[in-house]
Amino acid sequence: MRRLLVTGGAGFIGSNFIRYWVAHHPEDRIVNLDALTYAGNPENLAEIEATPGYRFEHGDIADAACLARLFADEDIDTVVNFAAESHVDRSILGPEAFIRTNVQGTFTLLEAARKAWGSAPDRRFLHVAADEVYGSLAADEPPFTESRAYAPNSPYSASKAASDHLVRAWHHTWGLPVLTTNCSNNYGPYQFPEKLIPLVILNALEGRPIPVYGDGRNVRDWLYVEDHCRGIEAVIEQGIPGEVYNIGGGNEWCNLDIVNLVCERLNELQPGADDYRNLISFVKDRPGHDRRYAIDAAKIRRELDWEPRHDFRSGIEQTLRWYLDHRDWCDRVRRGDYRHYYEHQYG
Ligand code: NAD
Ligand code: DAU
């Protein structure tokens, strides 16, 4: 039986992870520590709120006293650190929160684990990292392996890179049993609609322009969120402390092709007055926009026997149906702060 501290568990990937973990490890204790920023929503976990063994704690990973209390009260043996400011465009509008949570917060969490665990070798600290810390690939370059040098280009990816370096150092210096997973772009249910795929779905359904940055030819490697959660599970259970594992779908798409795919499928599922593709609008590019990300996941496939189970078309289909069935959720999460952000970002 494990006793997990999941940080950022009320966000997109964290809530999918907790739902997955409760279904597959019902005997485990899960403490979900989340500051409930605009991106965190306890409603994402409403159906497991009453599950024995699940506890939600409203708090901040940069709060050392809160962390010390949780480690002591709950005898935590496994940390899964999702908590972060996660949106690149917001990091360009205001980088400070990214430094505070992603850098200072991860530092505080590492220190709490080090103090609580000493040198106990059976503990695990899994840090959820991103592919964009490796920088941008040219069209003809091979995908990122774990040995690729870090070259972050946005305030978001620089803050995530800094947190990855801290995690590495806490292992090398004090032997903290850390594991790092660098994952490519996720999509699926409960993703906050500031991110490309849900933004396209909702703008199409609401008849608003679908903003495509630059020429729409930037490439991302998309993975269904449940496959990411299964990858994290494999690394917690079988990963070697101190190692880094890349997780990705081998599924590269340029943005414009994804936007067209989503619109075409929506034309069939929920036809509007006009073809949704007519809403596509090319807008000013994101400053410093990375051209291409792609993950080489050979290591986790070979060593931990992980592979994605969802192909992109079926994953997109499930995602579209989820957003069509959860319009009320979309309306609720877009109240308040998000409206101001949207006006500022898209005018
Ligand atoms: P998200 O923005 O949907 O959720 C982040 C969660 O962290 C929210 O619930 C928020 O309330 C919480 N949080 C923020 N600051 C906090 C703080 N100081 N203390 C406690 N909780 C705090 O993000 P996501 O897309 O679910 O990403 C989760 C993690 O995975 C992040 O670390 C991100 O960098 C990483 N990641 C994301 C992707 C992706 O495609 N979304 C890909 C690879 C890695
Ligand atoms: O690669 C992993 C990263 O993927 C994660 O670490 C981040 O948390 C996550 O947000 C994501 O970063 P991206 O910047 O790739 O995701 P986003 O959904 O913001 O954008 C995907 C692509 O779509 C990117 O090339 C920018 C483009 N885009 C995005 C938005 C929001 C548009 O063209 N128009 C838009 O309105």
Side-chain angles (χ1 to χ4, degrees):
M1 182 197 157
R2 286 183 190 274
R3 303 183 65 85
L4 287 87
L5 174 63
V6 178
T7 72
F12 163 48
I13 308 175
S15 63
N16 277 284
F17 175 81
I18 291 177
R19 207 171 303 103
Y20 176 88
W21 199 273
V22 165
H24 292 84
H25 306 269
E27 66 289 358
D28 285 357
R29 173 74 164 159
I30 298 187
V31 179
N32 173 11
L33 174 69
D34 198 297
L36 299 182
T37 67
Y38 77 95
N41 186 353
E43 189 191 334
N44 296 356
L45 288 164
E47 81 251 31
I48 63 136
E49 241 163 39
T51 305
Y54 174 72
R55 167 180 168 190
F56 176 72
E57 181 77 16
H58 184 193
D60 191 326
I61 60 163
D63 179 346
C66 166
L67 292 173
R69 181 171 47 78
L70 286 179
F71 272 93
D73 291 354
E74 296 283 354
D75 193 19
I76 297 297
D77 58 33
T78 305
V79 171
V80 190
N81 183 29
F82 292 100
E85 290 293 336
S86 71
H87 192 40
V88 174
D89 293 322
R90 284 185 190 254
S91 81
I92 296 166
L93 293 175
E96 196 172 337
F98 290 72
I99 304 305
R100 189 184 169 279
T101 286
N102 302 359
V103 186
Q104 182 74 28
T106 303
F107 158 74
T108 311
L109 188 58
L110 284 164
E111 280 294 83
R114 185 168 77 86
K115 285 175 189 155
W117 292 347
S119 55
D122 56 338
R123 310 293 201 242
R124 291 292 180 270
F125 185 113
L126 188 139
H127 179 62
V128 181
D131 59 0
E132 58 204 286
V133 295
Y134 297 122
S136 186
L137 286 166
D140 56 353
E141 271 187 287
F144 301 126
T145 64
E146 289 81 359
S147 56
R148 175 97 182 189
Y150 271 32
N153 291 319
S154 72
Y156 163 71
S157 55
S159 67
K160 287 293 288 182
S163 70
D164 300 358
H165 290 319
L166 294 175
V167 170
R168 177 190 160 89
W170 262 239
H171 175 72
H172 279 264
T173 306
W174 291 291
L176 194 73
V178 305
L179 301 149
T180 301
T181 52
N182 291 72
C183 192
S184 62
N185 283 59
N186 284 213
Y187 69 99
Y190 296 100
Q191 185 163 34
F192 196 85
E194 65 192 352
K195 306 283 166 58
L196 180 70
I197 290 176
L199 184 86
V200 172
I201 298 171
L202 296 182
N203 279 26
L205 293 174
E206 290 163 8
R208 283 191 274 143
I210 296 172
V212 173
Y213 296 159
D215 62 1
R217 294 278 156 213
N218 300 66
V219 171
R220 299 291 183 263
D221 178 354
W222 293 91
L223 183 70
Y224 192 67
V225 62
E226 192 187 82
D227 284 325
H228 185 189
C229 297
R230 288 178 39 254
I232 292 172
E233 177 190 43
V235 174
I236 290 173
E237 291 183 336
Q238 311 163 54
I240 297 168
E243 290 288 314
V244 173
Y245 298 88
N246 280 357
I247 307 178
N251 178 43
E252 291 183 53
W253 283 72
C254 83
N255 296 336
L256 195 54
D257 288 348
I258 293 190
V259 173
N260 276 309
L261 174 72
V262 169
C263 289
E264 281 162 21
R265 202 58 199 106
L266 272 183
N267 282 336
E268 291 158 10
L269 288 173
Q270 184 124 331
D274 198 4
D275 187 326
Y276 291 120
R277 285 173 295 191
N278 292 335
L279 293 169
I280 293 173
S281 159
F282 290 91
V283 299
K284 194 163 136 317
D285 208 354
R286 172 186 279 174
H289 195 176
D290 285 334
R291 193 63 175 170
R292 174 177 167 239
Y293 306 143
I295 276 282
D296 179 342
K299 178 177 174 181
I300 189 171
R301 283 174 183 262
R302 189 178 60 244
E303 295 183 10
L304 307 186
D305 204 21
W306 171 89
E307 59 177 39
R309 288 190 183 149
H310 292 263
D311 71 74
F312 194 52
R313 283 179 194 276
S314 70
I316 283 287
E317 180 80 17
Q318 271 176 265
T319 306
L320 283 175
R321 289 183 186 276
W322 189 88
Y323 279 92
L324 287 171
D325 290 345
H326 291 80
R327 297 292 295 277
D328 50 345
W329 179 90
C330 300
D331 291 341
R332 281 197 291 277
V333 301
R334 288 183 301 169
R335 286 195 192 122
D337 166 77
Y338 184 67
R339 285 185 190 280
H340 301 297
Y341 163 75
Y342 192 92
E343 276 158 30
H344 201 291
Q345 177 70 12
Y346 299 105

